[in-house]
Amino acid sequence: MMKQLIAQMQEIARELLETGIVQTVIGWEKGSRWYLSPPVFVRKPEDAGRLWYDQFAVPNLSGYLLDYRNKNEKVAVFVKGCDSRSVVRLIQDNQVRKENIVAIGVPCAGMRDQSAVNDEKEPHELPLLSKCLQCRYPNPVYADRTVGEAVVDKSLNVPDDLDAGTGLMGGDLTGDGSYVSSGIVERLEGLSSDDRYDFWQKAFSKCLRCYACRNVCPACSCRECIMDSEHSLWVGKGSSPTENMFNALIRAYHVAGRCTTCGECERVCPVGIPLMALNQFLGQEVNKLLEAYDAGIDETLKPPLEMYGWPDFDGLFRCAKGVRA
Amino acid sequence: MSFEPKIIGFLCNWCAYTAADLAGISRLKYPDNIRIIRVMCTGRIEPSFVLKAFASGADGVLVAGCHPGGCHYQEGNYKAYKRTLLLKKLLPQFGIASERFRLEFIASSEGEKFARVVGEMVGQLKILGPLQTAAVRIAELDGLFGEAEGGTGGGR
């Protein structure tokens, strides 16, 4: 089954490169360990055989599209259901041009958690990632082509019941979450403001300021990041508690309402900060405050924080006062 | 000595700043705890500005701009309002009470309202006390990090 799928993927990549429709195909390849499937950039048709896909193809490849935004180059990118949301986000933000990318949807039955590996040599069973346990978009919401049984499907959308506040990661959590973040939002809800502060302070005191979370994020698309600012009085470069917190808050806020909860920031964090908890929290608040909205589903819609105007503003006032139409 | 809170006020050039001016011209009395930063529009205020103010030791932040429909740039205050609502939710996560951050619509003729808002805010902040996060806690934490060295710290 999987072999057939991979053959199909390679075939499509070869065809796209041979016909010159795209110059680069971004996919996954077989990694150096049994549980690794890192990204690969295929530029020649004869290299298409390197492409690979299995339950470890966790990396969200759509972030790499940002590297091509100023190039006159067409790129094909393989997307799982969740990754396709990031592609939609990039199109919404005018970061990539629709006509310059070919998104190829792949079916996904959930990815396995590499952090649970016990034996580096011998393959063994691994639990599903917690983000996959809560998955609501197993099928791509946006794709130019699909392989296998993947279909473009936007039908699963925002929960009807706004007051339930199910948030972006709604759905049932049926297993023990393996992402560090799982359950943190709920746990923090019961804490006092000061306890929450202590929690975050502890979490972010580990931060090395490596900015891996920013670099991997498909929503972090500023041409010049505020964190790279030359003004040392504005953003300090040191890894002090205040600066770390400032950094974390700004990062979280900047992706609020645009985060597609792909979980990449948390996956790449070398010190295991529960970054998704913050993103999830803000996503839920956007849902509750502004409107029920799932980021990156429909490329023709504008995200709630980017829409302004009278009709919308009226609703906003009602929301702010706790009254809902 | 009683605690005197520091408030950073981001005021829009067209409405709130003019209101502050009017308050002065009308010789209205209001606490001098507010440090005013004039911006051309509240829509210019990035959430990072507010966070930076708190991180640098402000006890409260006031963002004041035009009434809905009165923005000189049509929709700047709407942007500010949306961002503010979300920021107000984010701040308590980090131990900053949402009362420390306030958004007000103050028209240029409402000097009296400006004076009242500042007065109210100062009263509220005096009850809340100084913001224990950021600058104040650094000293404590630096102490903590010193102790943790070689022990439970991040391995450095």
Side-chain angles (χ1 to χ4, degrees):
Chain A
M1 216 314 278
M2 209 50 128
K3 269 204 182 119
Q4 219 179 340
L5 187 71
I6 293 170
Q8 256 187 46
M9 289 167 71
Q10 294 174 348
E11 191 45 51
I12 286 189
R14 199 172 294 124
E15 178 210 316
L16 284 172
L17 289 166
E18 265 170 3
T19 51
I21 296 175
V22 300
Q23 282 78 53
T24 307
V25 176
I26 312 175
W28 302 274
E29 69 175 336
K30 184 88 193 96
S32 51
R33 298 256 197 282
W34 62 271
Y35 53 88
L36 293 177
S37 299
V40 65
F41 295 74
V42 180
R43 293 190 180 85
K44 289 186 227 137
E46 57 267 32
D47 287 341
R50 287 175 69 184
L51 287 166
W52 179 261
Y53 183 66
D54 57 13
Q55 69 267 44
F56 302 113
V58 189
N60 177 358
L61 305 174
S62 44
Y64 292 112
L65 292 176
L66 285 170
D67 298 339
Y68 295 88
R69 61 181 151 179
N70 297 325
K71 289 183 189 162
N72 211 0
E73 191 178 331
K74 287 198 172 185
V75 194
V77 62
F78 283 100
V79 290
K80 307 186 288 292
C82 47
D83 305 346
S84 67
R85 294 175 61 191
S86 309
V87 175
V88 171
R89 281 293 319 131
L90 292 171
I91 296 171
Q92 274 179 327
D93 278 352
N94 290 326
Q95 291 299 327
V96 293
R97 298 243 297 270
K98 224 173 163 177
E99 55 271 27
N100 280 354
I101 52 166
V102 179
I104 310 162
V106 289
C108 174
M111 292 286 144
R112 302 284 159 174
D113 185 4
Q114 293 144 328
S115 64
V117 169
N118 295 323
D119 192 337
E120 297 212 337
K121 300 250 158 57
E122 207 51 49
H124 56 84
E125 269 300 304
L126 287 176
L128 279 175
L129 287 170
S130 73
K131 74 163 178 175
C132 297
L133 287 172
Q134 304 169 57
C135 179
R136 292 169 53 219
Y137 298 95
N139 276 308
V141 291
Y142 175 90
D144 299 294
R145 298 184 180 203
T146 51
V147 284
E149 63 269 43
V151 282
V152 178
D153 178 12
K154 294 186 189 185
S155 60
L156 265 169
N157 216 315
V158 185
D160 294 332
D161 188 4
L162 194 66
D163 286 313
T166 43
L168 297 175
M169 304 278 268
D172 297 322
L173 185 64
T174 45
D176 268 346
S178 38
Y179 260 71
V180 234
S181 273
S182 34
I184 288 183
V185 179
E186 293 76 19
R187 217 173 72 217
L188 283 177
E189 245 167 49
L191 294 181
S192 74
S193 189
D194 271 355
D195 288 343
R196 280 185 223 169
Y197 174 83
D198 288 341
F199 171 85
W200 287 115
Q201 188 65 78
K202 213 180 259 170
F204 287 114
S205 65
K206 291 188 285 186
C207 179
L208 309 168
R209 302 287 290 280
C210 68
Y211 300 128
C213 48
R214 175 198 69 188
N215 287 359
V216 80
C217 181
C220 279
S221 49
C222 294
R223 226 170 258 188
E224 195 190 341
C225 179
I226 174 180
M227 296 303 160
D228 293 335
S229 160
E230 296 284 315
H231 301 279
S232 57
L233 282 177
W234 176 224
V235 187
K237 304 289 181 219
S239 168
S240 79
T242 332
E243 290 298 344
N244 287 354
M245 199 81 125
F246 184 58
N247 171 49
L249 275 162
I250 290 187
R251 197 202 61 81
Y253 199 98
H254 278 189
V255 299
R258 307 191 304 129
C259 171
T260 57
T261 60
C262 68
E264 287 291 275
C265 48
E266 195 166 292
R267 183 178 67 83
V268 298
C269 181
V271 292
I273 298 172
L275 291 162
M276 278 307 291
L278 256 187
N279 293 343
Q280 238 169 300
F281 168 78
L282 276 171
Q284 287 179 2
E285 288 305 327
V286 170
N287 268 4
K288 280 190 253 178
L289 270 179
L290 306 177
E291 59 185 288
Y293 178 78
D294 253 5
I297 305 305
D298 192 340
E299 70 270 17
T300 56
L301 284 181
K302 278 207 148 196
L305 273 163
E306 285 169 31
M307 279 192 307
Y308 315 102
W310 265 116
D312 167 44
F313 197 62
D314 283 346
L316 200 59
F317 259 125
R318 277 201 302 277
C319 282
K321 287 179 183 146
V323 190
R324 293 220 169 83
Chain B
M1 207 179 78
S2 71
F3 160 66
E4 288 297 334
K6 279 195 199 97
I7 302 174
I8 301 295
F10 294 100
L11 308 187
C12 105
N13 177 58
W14 305 98
C15 292
Y17 191 82
T18 320
D21 241 4
L22 183 65
I25 292 169
S26 325
R27 315 239 161 175
L28 294 175
K29 277 201 176 154
Y30 65 89
D32 60 357
N33 302 54
I34 188 164
R35 276 75 166 163
I36 293 172
I37 297 172
R38 180 173 64 154
V39 289
M40 287 311 279
C41 178
T42 41
R44 172 68 181 90
I45 300 162
E46 239 223 282
S48 344
F49 295 2
V50 178
L51 296 172
K52 183 71 184 173
F54 280 122
S56 313
D59 298 301
V61 174
L62 169 71
V63 170
C66 310
H67 281 272
C71 179
H72 189 79
Y73 308 100
Q74 310 290 347
E75 54 189 28
N77 52 352
Y78 303 163
K79 298 182 190 190
Y81 193 59
K82 268 195 176 179
R83 288 175 194 155
T84 311
L85 277 179
L86 198 56
L87 192 57
K88 241 177 149 54
K89 292 283 175 186
L90 182 61
L91 290 175
Q93 280 286 325
F94 290 85
I96 301 171
S98 60
E99 294 85 32
R100 292 184 185 275
F101 177 51
R102 195 158 162 176
L103 178 92
E104 282 293 337
F105 300 123
I106 303 174
S108 53
S109 58
E110 295 177 320
E112 170 273 326
K113 183 175 178 185
F114 175 77
R116 179 163 50 82
V117 165
V118 176
E120 274 173 22
M121 236 184 133
V122 170
Q124 230 165 9
L125 288 174
K126 278 192 175 164
I127 297 167
L128 282 170
L131 182 61
Q132 282 296 313
T133 53
V136 186
R137 284 207 189 176
I138 292 177
E140 287 173 30
L141 277 157
D142 283 347
L144 264 178
F145 282 133
E147 279 168 35
E149 221 159 351
T152 52
R156 279 201 296 163

